[in-house]
Amino acid sequence: ISPPPFETPPVGNLLIFVNPKSGAGRSLEVFNKQIASQLIAKNINYELIVTEGSGHACSIVKTRKDIYLFNAIVICSGDGLIFEVINGLLERPDRSEIIPRLPIGIVPSGSGNALLGSVLHTRKLPLEDGPFQQTACSIIQDLEALAFPVNLLHIETPEQHFGAFLSIGWGLLGDIDIESERFRRIFGSGRFAIGAVLRLLNLRTYRGRLSFLESGPSEPAQADPFRVYETTMPPPFEVVMKEPEPLERIPIIPDSKKEEMGDFWETRYLSSYGQIPRLNEAVPENWTIIEDEFVFVYVMSLSHISNKGYYVPQAGLVDDRIYLTYALKKDVTSKITLAKFLDALDHGRHNETQAFDFFKIIPVKSFRLEPIDSGSYIVVDGEDIKCKSIQATVTNLNMAVMAK
Ligand code: ADP
Ligand code: MG
C-alpha cells in the first residue's frame, strides 16, 4: 500500500524497507495490516521499498543522494537487513555524519531480532512477543521516539573491512545459525531450536587459533541507560516527527578524497584503543593466543542473541568492550551437557550454574580468529561471511536505534 496524496503537509518522512522473505515470510502482511494504515492516518509520508533480494537495500542507502530528507529508516525484517543497511551507509563518503544521526526504526519481523531485543532490554521494556510488536509499532503511533546510540564493531577479513553491531560466531553456534536457514519458512524463530538438535546429534569440533586483547577491569553495572551516554554522547536525541526535519545537507566528499575503509576505521575509531594490528600483521605481545580444538567461538557486542534470549546480560549499548565467549572440546564433558547448555541459553540461564564451566566469557577490545579446520561458517550478525580469518574490534562509532 502506498501513501495517498496529502491534503495537508505530511508530518515526517520515512524510508521503509520490507523484506518479504524474513522470518516466516509475513513482513509485508505485517506492514500492510499494522503499519501502513497508521502511517496514513497520522499523515506520515513514507517511501516503501520491498526488497527484491540480498544487497538491494544496501545499494539503495549507499547511493541515494536524498537520504538527508528522511527522518528515519524503518526496517521490517530481522537483524540481517539492518546489517545490510548499516553497511550500505558505511560505504558512503559521508558515513560518519549520517550513521550516528539517521535513526533506524525496527519492526521486528525476522527470525532473529537481537538488536531490538538488546535495546529494549537496556530500556527495561518487556521482550515478549505481544508487547514486543507493540513497542515497534508505537514508534510510529506516537509520532515520537527516542534514538539510542549503539556502538559498531570494525570487522576485517582478508578481503574487506566492514561494520557490524551484534555478533561474530564460528563452530557450533555459527553452524546452527546458518544451517537452520532452511527451516525459516516453517518455524520462524523456532528454526534455531530445530537446528540445534540436528547439529548436536552430529557434533563437529574445529581446530583454530584465537587471539585477543583483553579489556580492562569491568566498569560498574550500567543500570541506567541514560548514564551510558554521558561519556560518549549528549543525552538521547528525540526524533520528533511533528514537522519534517531533514538532516542538514552535508557536502559529499569528492572521490579523490575518499579514504580507504581500513584507514577510515583506524584513524577515527580504533586509535583510542591503542595499537590494533591489521589482520596481516602479527598480534602484539599483550594479546593472548589460544590454539586448540573448539566447540564454538561466539563474540557478542550486545546482550541478546535473539529477541528473547540474552547471552551477555551485562553488555551495554555503548561501551568499550565486546564479549568473547568460547568452549574448548577438552572442557566439554558430554553432548548431554552441551544440550543442557543450549537449552539454558535459550532461557538466558547459562550463566547461573557451575555445570557449564566449560563456557568461558572474556571482555575484550579486539580479537582475531584463524580457523585451522574448515567446515564451519564465520557468521557476522547472522550472515555467513565467506572468509578464511577474521578480526573484530569495538569502535566508538555509534549507530542510532529507535526505541520507545
Ligand atoms: P531473518 O531474521 O528472518 O533471517 P533478515 O532480516 O536477517 O531476516 O534477512 C535475511 C536475509 O534476507 C538478509 O541477508 C537479506 O539481505 C536477505 N533479503 C532481503 N530481501 C530479500 C528477498 N526479497 N529475498 C530473499 N532474501 C532477501
Ligand atoms: Mg556493546
Side-chain angles (χ1 to χ4, degrees):
I1 306 174
S2 296
F6 288 106
E7 280 153 27
T8 49
V11 294
N13 194 20
L14 304 176
L15 178 59
I16 301 182
F17 290 102
V18 175
N19 174 358
K21 297 285 164 64
S22 67
R26 290 205 305 271
S27 291
L28 195 54
E29 194 186 317
V30 169
F31 177 79
N32 281 331
K33 280 203 183 136
Q34 298 181 23
I35 315 283
S37 54
Q38 291 174 31
L39 293 171
I40 293 166
K42 301 282 183 187
N43 205 15
I44 298 174
N45 195 23
Y46 64 90
E47 179 174 334
L48 172 63
I49 294 166
V50 180
T51 59
E52 286 163 13
S54 186
H56 185 192
C58 175
S59 75
I60 289 175
V61 299
K62 179 175 158 183
T63 52
R64 285 284 291 254
K65 292 221 162 66
D66 63 350
I67 198 127
Y68 300 99
L69 301 178
F70 295 100
N71 301 86
I73 297 180
V74 172
I75 298 176
C76 305
S77 189
D79 294 309
L81 201 62
I82 306 170
F83 174 77
E84 237 195 60
V85 163
I86 287 298
N87 278 295
L89 294 174
L90 273 167
E91 287 188 34
R92 298 175 64 103
D94 51 2
R95 53 201 163 212
S96 26
E97 287 78 24
I98 292 204
I99 290 172
R101 294 166 61 211
L102 183 59
I104 306 285
I106 304 166
V107 177
S109 47
S111 45
N113 295 103
L115 174 60
L116 187 58
S118 301
V119 173
L120 294 181
H121 169 74
T122 314
R123 296 279 294 133
K124 298 198 164 40
L125 289 169
L127 303 174
E128 296 77 31
D129 281 349
F132 191 63
Q133 279 295 357
Q134 280 167 20
T135 307
C137 296
S138 70
I139 291 174
I140 293 154
Q141 263 169 13
D142 300 351
L143 296 182
E144 59 181 44
L146 297 173
F148 292 84
V150 171
N151 57 359
L152 293 179
L153 308 183
H154 163 244
I155 309 282
E156 184 177 352
T157 69
E159 293 78 29
Q160 55 178 335
H161 294 262
F162 57 97
F165 52 81
L166 183 64
S167 60
I168 300 100
W170 176 70
L172 179 66
L173 299 179
D175 294 353
I176 292 172
D177 218 358
I178 298 306
E179 292 175 2
S180 65
E181 285 279 334
R182 63 193 139 118
F183 303 119
R184 172 193 304 273
R185 228 179 148 57
I186 317 168
F187 295 107
S189 53
R191 72 182 170 100
F192 297 111
I194 310 288
V197 171
L198 295 179
R199 201 80 308 292
L200 272 178
L201 290 174
N202 176 24
L203 184 65
R204 294 190 302 243
T205 54
Y206 306 93
R207 280 176 308 136
R209 187 182 307 108
L210 179 64
S211 318
F212 53 90
L213 173 64
E214 280 190 53
S215 98
S218 51
E219 281 150 20
Q222 294 157 341
D224 177 2
F226 288 86
R227 260 196 48 234
V228 182
Y229 302 22
E230 283 167 11
T231 52
T232 48
M233 274 190 103
F237 46 93
E238 234 176 302
V239 183
V240 181
M241 295 198 236
K242 293 196 169 93
E243 295 167 26
E245 269 191 272
L247 285 168
E248 201 180 302
R249 204 165 266 279
I250 295 156
I252 301 284
I253 303 168
D255 275 0
S256 60
K257 292 236 173 90
K258 268 191 203 167
E259 296 156 288
E260 287 292 321
M261 225 6 157
D263 296 333
F264 160 75
W265 289 107
E266 189 158 40
T267 52
R268 297 199 207 181
Y269 297 109
L270 301 182
S271 48
S272 60
Y273 298 113
Q275 280 275 297
I276 302 294
R278 284 283 169 90
L279 187 54
N280 61 7
E281 296 169 342
V283 296
E285 297 227 313
N286 57 343
W287 285 47
T288 307
I289 302 175
I290 299 174
E291 193 172 312
D292 213 314
E293 186 146 357
F294 291 86
V295 178
F296 64 81
V297 173
Y298 210 81
V299 181
M300 288 292 292
S301 179
L302 295 170
S303 56
H304 282 56
I305 197 167
S306 66
N307 32 348
K308 61 176 180 152
Y310 51 62
Y311 191 74
V312 186
Q314 67 270 40
L317 300 179
V318 174
D319 55 29
D320 61 351
R321 67 198 58 218
I322 50 182
Y323 295 84
L324 168 65
T325 75
Y326 63 89
L328 295 176
K329 185 187 182 190
K330 65 184 180 210
D331 294 339
V332 176
T333 46
S334 71
K335 280 189 194 182
I336 303 284
T337 314
L338 209 50
K340 285 184 181 156
F341 171 77
L342 291 178
D343 182 58
L345 187 60
D346 204 33
H347 300 93
R349 290 202 306 263
H350 54 293
N351 291 312
E352 286 169 17
T353 156
Q354 296 280 303
F356 307 134
D357 56 7
F358 61 83
F359 177 66
K360 308 293 184 211
I361 176 160
I362 304 172
V364 302
K365 293 195 187 307
S366 184
F367 86 98
R368 178 183 296 182
L369 173 69
E370 296 159 288
I372 298 169
D373 290 336
S374 58
S376 185
Y377 308 84
I378 293 182
V379 184
V380 178
D381 290 3
E383 303 293 304
D384 177 14
I385 305 296
K386 296 188 165 43
C387 61
K388 290 249 176 313
S389 58
I390 191 164
Q391 181 171 300
T393 309
V394 65
T395 77
N396 43 29
L397 174 62
N398 298 330
M399 67 189 283
V401 179
M402 292 165 87
K404 190 65 189 152

